[in-house]
Amino acid sequence: MSSNKLNVEGIMLFEQPFARVPYENYRKVFRTSQKNIEKELSAVQATSSDLAKRTKGDDGSSADGAMKAIDGMITRVENLKRKLSELQDSAGIPTQSVMRERLEHLAAVENVESANTPEFQRWADVRLDRWLVDWALRNGKEKTARKIAEEKGIERLVDIDLFSDICRIEEALGRKSCTEALAWCSENKSALRRFKNTLEFDLRLQEYIELARARKNMDAMVYARKYLLAWQDTHLAQIHQASALLCFPPTTSCGPYKRLYDPARWANLTQSFRLAIYNLSTLPTEPLLHLAMYAGLASLKLPACYDPETKNVDCPVCDPSLGRLAEEVPFSHHVNSTIVCRLSGKIMDGDNMPLAFPVSGQVYSREALEDMAAKHNGVVTCPRTGETCGYSSLRKVFIS
Ligand SMILES: [Zn+2]
């Protein structure tokens, strides 16, 4: 039974994004609160130091003004309090409960003794549902994702909101609008900087290119000064090239400028955006379901799976769709570790040993051939070559 001992570390390898997404959301709530506090308190501080100066030259007439200023400060602080508690109610508490529920889900697996227990089976079922939702979301099937999540009651364990955001922003990029993506960049400015991600520059450059395409050269120059120059430490060459772009019409055949005008850049932006958002949430670029399946497929994949002559209906890798997924994984090292009978789909081993036709050498399991012989008066026929012989003429094959 020791082989069924749960490999908790292996399970957790998949779960980093599961904990990370709500954590990043909570950080955003925290940052927004912090910004509000800084803004309002610095205003209050400015007013109060202004008041302190004023009271020095006290002439009585400024008492009214001072009262007004103090009232203003009180209003500010009250507004701040209201704003913070709204933010906490609308985003802070929900995110906290998502985090708590997810960590509890992960913690549950630590107490499970082995993979054979019903507790683990239930846990793994939930995990599979989560992965199915992830798969649906990544493939733009949001309705399906929502339905699964709702039916299984796992709304807090899946990232539907994140993918709704992705959808909305990518749709905008599809309409050639950078506004939504730029707003996302500004929300995640510090994280993007941490990852040295330059999506924001690419978006700015694209808006600039669109101005150049519309031949709005003055606007383009103003835009470049405002948004591109800030990147000169890292993107000077690109900024120079962008400046020169204004001398070329969108119909230019000059290589580098033709490339800047290329509408395919929009598709690249969409791709860069998706990579950036995955990166920030530590989400893998491929569905979790695929990653989990790669591991299993790698242990089953044989060269025979890709030969139409030797495909087996009971082998998952031989299945065309799973086989395509398995193209990425290496072949199983134990090429001969399991031999599956093509007649019965059962594994051939010492108990159900393989038997070979004497001429063609085609191999099937003893059980399947015995069945066939019983139905055909002791005669067996190879379904592939049509070779016929008596059951007793079959050769034994020994697995080494
Ligand atoms: Zn196969």
Side-chain angles (χ1 to χ4, degrees):
M1 280 312 224
S2 67
S3 66
N4 281 320
K5 177 129 179 43
L6 211 55
N7 176 5
V8 174
E9 246 170 73
I11 289 170
M12 292 302 168
L13 271 180
F14 279 96
E15 305 297 358
Q16 207 194 344
F18 181 67
R20 185 74 183 220
V21 173
Y23 169 77
E24 285 295 335
N25 287 341
Y26 197 71
R27 247 172 41 140
K28 257 180 247 167
V29 176
F30 180 76
R31 284 282 303 152
T32 313
S33 312
Q34 202 181 22
K35 267 190 203 152
N36 275 315
I37 293 169
E38 276 166 15
K39 188 175 138 221
E40 298 302 328
L41 289 191
S42 76
V44 166
Q45 213 152 30
T47 316
S48 70
S49 65
D50 199 43
L51 266 178
K53 269 182 231 148
R54 244 197 285 176
T55 46
K56 274 178 201 156
D58 198 15
D59 57 0
S61 67
S62 65
D64 249 11
M67 282 305 285
K68 263 190 196 136
I70 290 170
D71 279 345
M73 282 156 72
I74 292 170
T75 312
R76 260 185 194 283
V77 175
E78 277 171 354
N79 280 344
L80 174 65
K81 190 182 164 198
R82 186 178 42 76
K83 227 188 261 177
L84 289 181
S85 91
E86 271 171 19
L87 189 67
Q88 181 67 2
D89 289 345
S90 68
I93 292 169
T95 315
Q96 270 175 357
S97 71
V98 168
M99 272 198 288
R100 189 174 306 115
E101 203 163 311
R102 290 189 178 198
L103 292 177
E104 277 167 3
H105 176 69
L106 289 184
V109 88
E110 300 227 324
N111 303 321
V112 171
E113 280 293 310
S114 101
N116 287 340
T117 55
E119 290 86 27
F120 183 73
Q121 290 308 321
R122 271 198 299 276
W123 190 85
D125 281 349
V126 174
R127 180 178 60 177
L128 180 60
D129 290 333
R130 289 199 275 123
W131 286 350
L132 288 172
V133 172
D134 173 75
W135 184 90
L137 289 171
R138 284 164 186 265
N139 287 281
K141 303 180 193 308
E142 196 180 316
K143 270 191 204 155
T144 310
R146 282 187 190 279
K147 199 164 167 56
I148 300 174
E150 201 181 304
E151 261 174 30
K152 304 286 181 178
I154 53 168
E155 288 100 328
R156 287 173 180 189
L157 302 184
V158 290
D159 298 313
I160 292 178
D161 293 343
L162 177 79
F163 280 90
S164 299
D165 266 0
I166 293 180
C167 248
R168 181 177 53 79
I169 293 168
E170 286 187 350
E171 232 171 57
L173 287 172
R175 282 186 270 115
K176 305 200 167 172
S177 160
C178 292
T179 316
E180 291 76 2
L182 281 167
W184 179 83
C185 285
S186 109
E187 267 169 45
N188 296 282
K189 215 177 186 73
S190 57
L192 287 169
R193 205 177 299 138
R194 208 160 8 112
F195 285 108
K196 296 196 165 51
N197 188 296
T198 60
L199 176 67
E200 189 182 343
F201 176 80
D202 297 334
L203 291 165
R204 291 294 182 195
L205 181 61
Q206 194 61 43
E207 291 205 317
Y208 172 87
I209 292 169
E210 295 310 320
L211 289 172
R213 197 193 307 280
R215 306 314 286 157
K216 293 180 180 163
N217 285 7
M218 280 308 288
D219 291 347
M221 278 151 77
V222 171
Y223 188 93
R225 252 199 307 276
K226 195 165 173 194
Y227 295 114
L228 296 185
L229 267 186
W231 293 81
Q232 58 182 338
D233 288 346
T234 47
H235 291 71
L236 195 58
Q238 274 171 284
I239 295 169
H240 281 162
Q241 204 179 47
S243 315
L245 182 70
L246 297 182
C247 308
F248 294 86
T251 49
T252 182
S253 55
C254 178
Y257 304 103
K258 193 179 167 194
R259 278 195 289 281
L260 283 176
Y261 280 125
D262 190 347
R265 288 179 63 94
W266 282 100
N268 294 343
L269 280 177
T270 305
Q271 226 169 9
S272 311
F273 163 69
R274 200 174 257 236
L275 282 179
I277 198 163
Y278 281 168
N279 202 349
L280 252 56
S281 318
T282 65
L283 279 168
T285 52
E286 277 196 78
L288 290 157
L289 186 66
H290 287 192
L291 296 180
M293 277 159 86
Y294 284 149
L297 291 171
S299 68
L300 294 171
K301 182 179 169 183
L302 301 177
C305 296
Y306 292 93
D307 181 349
E309 291 283 300
T310 54
K311 274 187 187 296
N312 185 312
V313 286
D314 295 300
C315 166
V317 186
C318 286
D319 177 81
S321 52
L322 286 177
R324 204 168 66 222
L325 201 57
E327 272 169 17
E328 304 285 327
V329 306
F331 284 108
S332 160
H333 286 304
H334 311 284
V335 176
N336 293 314
S337 63
T338 50
I339 308 172
V340 177
C341 172
R342 282 186 215 98
L343 282 172
S344 65
K346 288 184 182 158
I347 290 170
M348 297 190 272
D349 52 22
D351 296 328
N352 185 22
M353 70 180 327
L355 297 172
F357 277 83
V359 180
S360 63
Q362 295 288 341
V363 172
Y364 303 97
S365 71
R366 179 179 55 77
E367 281 176 13
L369 290 165
E370 263 177 10
D371 259 14
M372 194 190 288
K375 285 177 191 147
H376 298 93
N377 301 318
V379 175
V380 287
T381 307
C382 170
R384 260 170 301 169
T385 62
E387 182 182 353
T388 295
C389 69
Y391 179 80
S392 55
S393 316
L394 292 166
R395 285 188 288 113
K396 284 181 181 171
V397 177
F398 293 94
I399 305 168
S400 58

